[in-house]
Amino acid sequence: MPRIALQARRILVLLFPLLLPGCVSLGRQYDGVPLPLEKLAQVKVGTTTRGDILSLFGPPSSVQRRELEGVVSSLAARYQGDDLTLRLDPALFNDIFFYEYRRVNRTAVLLGLFNYVQSVDRSDRLAFFFDQAGKVAGFGVIQGTQGL
Amino acid sequence: MRRATARLATALALAVALPGCVTLSRTEEGAFPAPAALRTLAKGMALRDVLAACGPPIEAWRQPEGLALIYRARRYDYDRFGLDPSRVLELVPVSSLAASALSNLRLTLERADLEEDRLVVVFDRDERVSGFAYRGRDGSRAP
Protein backbone atom coordinates (compact mmCIF):
# COMPACT_ATOMS: atom_id res chain seq x y z
CA MET A 1 0.00 0.00 0.00
CA PRO A 2 1.42 3.42 -0.90
CA ARG A 3 2.78 5.30 2.11
CA ILE A 4 0.70 8.41 1.36
CA ALA A 5 -2.57 6.41 1.32
CA LEU A 6 -1.66 4.83 4.67
CA GLN A 7 -1.03 8.23 6.23
CA ALA A 8 -4.27 9.58 4.79
CA ARG A 9 -6.15 6.69 6.35
CA ARG A 10 -4.53 7.35 9.73
CA ILE A 11 -5.43 11.01 9.52
CA LEU A 12 -9.02 10.09 8.68
CA VAL A 13 -9.22 7.78 11.68
CA LEU A 14 -7.88 10.54 13.92
CA LEU A 15 -10.24 13.13 12.50
CA PHE A 16 -13.32 10.91 12.67
CA PRO A 17 -14.08 11.64 16.36
CA LEU A 18 -14.13 15.34 15.52
CA LEU A 19 -17.05 14.72 13.21
CA LEU A 20 -19.22 13.53 16.10
CA PRO A 21 -20.94 16.59 17.60
CA GLY A 22 -20.90 17.10 21.37
CA CYS A 23 -18.42 14.32 21.94
CA VAL A 24 -17.40 15.51 25.39
CA SER A 25 -19.40 17.93 27.50
CA LEU A 26 -18.27 19.29 30.84
CA GLY A 27 -20.84 21.23 32.87
CA ARG A 28 -20.38 23.13 36.10
CA GLN A 29 -23.33 24.56 37.95
CA TYR A 30 -22.98 26.84 40.96
CA ASP A 31 -25.96 27.68 43.12
CA GLY A 32 -25.60 30.24 45.89
CA VAL A 33 -22.45 31.70 47.37
CA PRO A 34 -19.70 29.95 49.35
CA LEU A 35 -20.61 29.80 53.02
CA PRO A 36 -18.55 32.00 55.38
CA LEU A 37 -17.78 29.09 57.69
CA GLU A 38 -15.03 31.01 59.50
CA LYS A 39 -17.83 33.00 61.18
CA LEU A 40 -19.08 29.88 62.95
CA ALA A 41 -16.51 30.58 65.66
CA GLN A 42 -18.67 33.55 66.69
CA VAL A 43 -21.81 31.42 67.13
CA LYS A 44 -22.52 30.32 70.71
CA VAL A 45 -25.29 27.87 71.45
CA GLY A 46 -27.82 29.38 73.86
CA THR A 47 -26.52 32.91 73.33
CA THR A 48 -26.49 33.85 69.65
CA THR A 49 -29.85 35.09 68.42
CA ARG A 50 -31.64 34.82 65.10
CA GLY A 51 -30.74 38.46 64.43
CA ASP A 52 -27.07 37.71 65.05
CA ILE A 53 -27.20 34.82 62.59
CA LEU A 54 -28.80 37.02 59.95
CA SER A 55 -26.13 39.67 60.50
CA LEU A 56 -23.32 37.14 60.27
CA PHE A 57 -24.52 34.94 57.43
CA GLY A 58 -27.07 37.05 55.58
CA PRO A 59 -30.44 35.79 54.37
CA PRO A 60 -30.83 32.01 54.61
CA SER A 61 -31.40 29.85 51.55
CA SER A 62 -34.57 28.66 53.27
CA VAL A 63 -36.39 29.08 56.57
CA GLN A 64 -38.39 26.20 57.95
CA ARG A 65 -41.21 26.94 60.32
CA ARG A 66 -44.36 24.94 60.93
CA GLU A 67 -47.60 26.68 60.16
CA LEU A 68 -50.33 26.54 62.80
CA GLU A 69 -52.82 25.39 60.20
CA GLY A 70 -50.65 22.43 59.26
CA VAL A 71 -50.19 21.36 62.88
CA VAL A 72 -53.92 21.52 63.63
CA SER A 73 -54.78 19.70 60.41
CA SER A 74 -52.37 16.85 61.13
CA LEU A 75 -53.70 16.47 64.68
CA ALA A 76 -57.33 16.66 63.63
CA ALA A 77 -56.77 14.02 60.96
CA ARG A 78 -55.61 11.53 63.60
CA TYR A 79 -58.30 12.40 66.20
CA GLN A 80 -61.55 10.49 66.56
CA GLY A 81 -64.15 11.95 68.93
CA ASP A 82 -66.57 14.78 69.49
CA ASP A 83 -64.37 17.43 71.08
CA LEU A 84 -60.80 18.30 70.33
CA THR A 85 -58.87 20.49 72.75
CA LEU A 86 -55.38 21.45 71.69
CA ARG A 87 -52.46 22.37 73.88
CA LEU A 88 -49.60 23.17 71.58
CA ASP A 89 -45.96 23.20 72.56
CA PRO A 90 -44.51 26.49 71.28
CA ALA A 91 -41.37 24.55 70.36
CA LEU A 92 -43.33 23.33 67.35
CA PHE A 93 -42.89 26.74 65.81
CA ASN A 94 -39.18 27.18 66.41
CA ASP A 95 -37.33 28.26 63.31
CA ILE A 96 -34.68 26.41 61.37
CA PHE A 97 -32.42 28.41 59.05
CA PHE A 98 -30.75 26.54 56.19
CA TYR A 99 -27.81 27.93 54.24
CA GLU A 100 -26.65 26.10 51.16
CA TYR A 101 -23.94 26.43 48.53
CA ARG A 102 -24.51 23.87 45.82
CA ARG A 103 -22.28 22.66 43.04
CA VAL A 104 -23.14 20.23 40.28
CA ASN A 105 -20.45 18.72 38.07
CA ARG A 106 -21.66 17.09 34.89
CA THR A 107 -19.55 15.07 32.52
CA ALA A 108 -20.87 13.61 29.31
CA VAL A 109 -19.01 11.56 26.73
CA LEU A 110 -21.19 11.09 23.67
CA LEU A 111 -19.68 8.85 21.03
CA GLY A 112 -22.81 7.72 19.25
CA LEU A 113 -22.51 4.02 19.92
CA PHE A 114 -21.42 4.60 23.49
CA ASN A 115 -22.55 7.38 25.81
CA TYR A 116 -21.51 8.03 29.36
CA VAL A 117 -23.11 10.69 31.54
CA GLN A 118 -22.17 11.47 35.11
CA SER A 119 -23.69 14.09 37.38
CA VAL A 120 -22.40 14.75 40.87
CA ASP A 121 -24.46 17.07 43.05
CA ARG A 122 -22.78 18.27 46.24
CA SER A 123 -23.62 21.00 48.72
CA ASP A 124 -22.05 22.82 51.60
CA ARG A 125 -24.91 23.04 54.07
CA LEU A 126 -25.35 24.88 57.32
CA ALA A 127 -28.40 24.67 59.56
CA PHE A 128 -29.27 26.66 62.66
CA PHE A 129 -31.96 25.41 65.01
CA PHE A 130 -33.48 28.00 67.34
CA ASP A 131 -35.18 27.62 70.69
CA GLN A 132 -38.35 29.37 71.84
CA ALA A 133 -36.35 32.44 72.89
CA GLY A 134 -35.01 32.76 69.37
CA LYS A 135 -31.51 31.71 70.39
CA VAL A 136 -29.40 29.08 68.70
CA ALA A 137 -30.24 25.65 70.10
CA GLY A 138 -27.77 23.87 67.87
CA PHE A 139 -26.12 24.07 64.47
CA GLY A 140 -24.56 21.69 62.02
CA VAL A 141 -22.34 22.06 58.99
CA ILE A 142 -21.32 19.73 56.22
CA GLN A 143 -18.85 20.56 53.48
CA GLY A 144 -20.01 18.35 50.67
CA THR A 145 -18.29 20.28 47.88
CA GLN A 146 -14.87 19.29 49.22
CA GLY A 147 -15.40 15.91 47.62
CA LEU A 148 -15.65 17.40 44.11
CA MET B 1 -10.20 -2.87 -2.11
CA ARG B 2 -13.72 -1.84 -3.09
CA ARG B 3 -15.15 -4.46 -0.75
CA ALA B 4 -13.06 -3.10 2.12
CA THR B 5 -14.24 0.42 1.38
CA ALA B 6 -17.85 -0.74 1.32
CA ARG B 7 -17.40 -2.43 4.69
CA LEU B 8 -15.87 0.70 6.15
CA ALA B 9 -18.74 2.81 4.77
CA THR B 10 -21.29 0.39 6.23
CA ALA B 11 -19.59 0.42 9.60
CA LEU B 12 -19.53 4.22 9.62
CA ALA B 13 -23.18 4.37 8.57
CA LEU B 14 -24.09 2.00 11.39
CA ALA B 15 -22.09 4.01 13.89
CA VAL B 16 -23.82 7.24 12.91
CA ALA B 17 -27.28 5.74 12.53
CA LEU B 18 -27.42 3.99 15.90
CA PRO B 19 -27.10 6.84 18.37
CA GLY B 20 -27.32 6.00 22.03
CA CYS B 21 -26.71 2.35 21.44
CA VAL B 22 -25.12 2.03 24.86
CA THR B 23 -25.71 4.65 27.55
CA LEU B 24 -24.28 4.57 31.03
CA SER B 25 -25.25 7.32 33.41
CA ARG B 26 -24.64 7.95 37.06
CA THR B 27 -26.12 10.66 39.27
CA GLU B 28 -24.91 11.30 42.80
CA GLU B 29 -26.47 13.77 45.20
CA GLY B 30 -26.27 14.64 48.84
CA ALA B 31 -23.62 14.23 51.49
CA PHE B 32 -23.87 11.84 54.38
CA PRO B 33 -22.38 11.89 57.89
CA ALA B 34 -19.16 9.94 58.27
CA PRO B 35 -19.42 6.45 59.81
CA ALA B 36 -17.47 7.68 62.85
CA ALA B 37 -20.12 10.35 63.46
CA LEU B 38 -22.91 7.80 63.12
CA ARG B 39 -21.32 5.58 65.72
CA THR B 40 -21.48 8.39 68.29
CA LEU B 41 -25.29 8.49 68.14
CA ALA B 42 -26.96 7.34 71.33
CA LYS B 43 -30.31 7.71 73.02
CA GLY B 44 -30.44 10.76 75.27
CA MET B 45 -27.98 12.71 73.13
CA ALA B 46 -28.77 16.43 72.86
CA LEU B 47 -29.82 18.04 69.59
CA ARG B 48 -26.80 20.31 69.58
CA ASP B 49 -24.45 17.32 69.84
CA VAL B 50 -26.21 15.47 67.03
CA LEU B 51 -25.93 18.51 64.77
CA ALA B 52 -22.29 19.01 65.68
CA ALA B 53 -21.47 15.36 64.91
CA CYS B 54 -23.68 14.67 61.89
CA GLY B 55 -24.10 18.12 60.38
CA PRO B 56 -27.31 19.58 59.00
CA PRO B 57 -30.06 17.18 57.95
CA ILE B 58 -31.56 17.16 54.49
CA GLU B 59 -34.98 17.46 56.12
CA ALA B 60 -36.25 18.37 59.60
CA TRP B 61 -39.77 17.83 60.83
CA ARG B 62 -41.29 19.22 63.99
CA GLN B 63 -44.11 17.05 65.26
CA PRO B 64 -46.05 17.29 68.53
CA GLU B 65 -44.06 14.23 69.68
CA GLY B 66 -40.77 15.93 68.95
CA LEU B 67 -38.28 16.73 66.24
CA ALA B 68 -37.21 14.33 63.46
CA LEU B 69 -34.04 14.77 61.41
CA ILE B 70 -33.53 12.99 58.09
CA TYR B 71 -30.15 12.50 56.42
CA ARG B 72 -29.92 11.09 52.92
CA ALA B 73 -27.41 10.60 50.11
CA ARG B 74 -28.31 8.97 46.82
CA ARG B 75 -26.63 7.35 43.87
CA TYR B 76 -28.67 6.59 40.77
CA ASP B 77 -27.29 4.41 38.00
CA TYR B 78 -29.06 4.12 34.68
CA ASP B 79 -27.77 1.87 31.92
CA ARG B 80 -29.35 1.41 28.53
CA PHE B 81 -28.57 -0.75 25.55
CA GLY B 82 -30.64 -0.08 22.48
CA LEU B 83 -30.60 -1.49 18.98
CA ASP B 84 -32.74 -0.11 16.19
CA PRO B 85 -31.70 -1.56 12.81
CA SER B 86 -34.57 0.16 11.03
CA ARG B 87 -32.64 3.42 11.18
CA VAL B 88 -29.98 2.19 8.77
CA LEU B 89 -32.41 0.93 6.15
CA GLU B 90 -32.19 4.18 4.24
CA LEU B 91 -28.43 3.95 4.11
CA VAL B 92 -27.82 0.28 3.40
CA PRO B 93 -29.45 -1.38 0.41
CA VAL B 94 -31.37 -4.48 1.50
CA SER B 95 -34.23 -6.42 0.02
CA SER B 96 -37.80 -5.40 0.88
CA LEU B 97 -38.31 -8.60 2.85
CA ALA B 98 -35.20 -7.96 4.91
CA ALA B 99 -36.21 -4.33 5.33
CA SER B 100 -39.63 -5.25 6.72
CA ALA B 101 -38.04 -7.79 9.04
CA LEU B 102 -35.44 -5.32 10.25
CA SER B 103 -38.02 -2.59 10.77
CA ASN B 104 -39.71 -4.81 13.35
CA LEU B 105 -36.54 -5.75 15.11
CA ARG B 106 -35.85 -3.43 18.00
CA LEU B 107 -34.14 -4.27 21.21
CA THR B 108 -33.89 -2.13 24.31
CA LEU B 109 -32.44 -3.22 27.61
CA GLU B 110 -32.63 -0.80 30.52
CA ARG B 111 -31.39 -1.05 34.07
CA ALA B 112 -31.96 1.53 36.79
CA ASP B 113 -30.55 1.23 40.28
CA LEU B 114 -31.18 3.72 43.09
CA GLU B 115 -28.99 3.31 46.15
CA GLU B 116 -29.47 5.42 49.22
CA ASP B 117 -27.80 5.97 52.56
CA ARG B 118 -30.47 7.01 55.02
CA LEU B 119 -30.50 8.06 58.65
CA VAL B 120 -33.47 9.16 60.73
CA VAL B 121 -33.01 10.59 64.21
CA VAL B 122 -36.05 11.35 66.35
CA PHE B 123 -36.08 13.46 69.49
CA ASP B 124 -38.37 13.78 72.46
CA ARG B 125 -39.90 17.08 73.47
CA ASP B 126 -36.79 17.95 75.45
CA GLU B 127 -34.85 17.64 72.19
CA ARG B 128 -32.93 14.57 73.25
CA VAL B 129 -32.54 11.55 70.98
CA SER B 130 -35.31 9.04 71.59
CA GLY B 131 -34.41 6.81 68.66
CA PHE B 132 -32.50 6.55 65.42
CA ALA B 133 -32.25 4.21 62.47
CA TYR B 134 -29.67 3.80 59.73
CA ARG B 135 -29.74 1.92 56.46
CA GLY B 136 -26.75 1.87 54.16
CA ARG B 137 -26.89 1.64 50.38
CA ASP B 138 -25.86 -2.00 50.67
CA GLY B 139 -28.77 -2.67 53.04
CA SER B 140 -26.64 -2.76 56.18
CA ARG B 141 -28.24 -1.52 59.39
CA ALA B 142 -25.01 -0.49 61.11
CA PRO B 143 -22.45 2.03 59.81
Side-chain angles (χ1 to χ4, degrees), chain B residues 57-79:
Chain B
I58 201 83
E59 290 177 43
W61 295 93
R62 289 195 185 278
Q63 299 290 344
E65 300 85 359
L67 182 67
L69 305 183
I70 298 167
Y71 296 85
R72 190 169 55 226
R74 283 179 171 164
R75 189 174 74 190
Y76 179 68
D77 287 337
Y78 172 74
D79 303 329

Side-chain angles (χ1 to χ4, degrees), chain B residues 94-138:
Chain B
V94 292
S95 66
S96 60
L97 180 63
S100 58
L102 283 174
S103 63
N104 289 321
L105 181 64
R106 289 181 186 175
L107 174 68
T108 302
L109 299 174
E110 289 181 307
R111 173 184 160 275
D113 185 18
L114 176 64
E115 294 180 337
E116 187 174 84
D117 290 313
R118 190 186 305 173
L119 171 70
V120 174
V121 186
V122 292
F123 295 81
D124 59 22
R125 292 175 62 176
D126 295 326
E127 297 199 328
R128 295 202 168 265
V129 173
S130 59
F132 58 92
Y134 165 83
R135 187 184 295 277
R137 60 184 57 183
D138 58 353

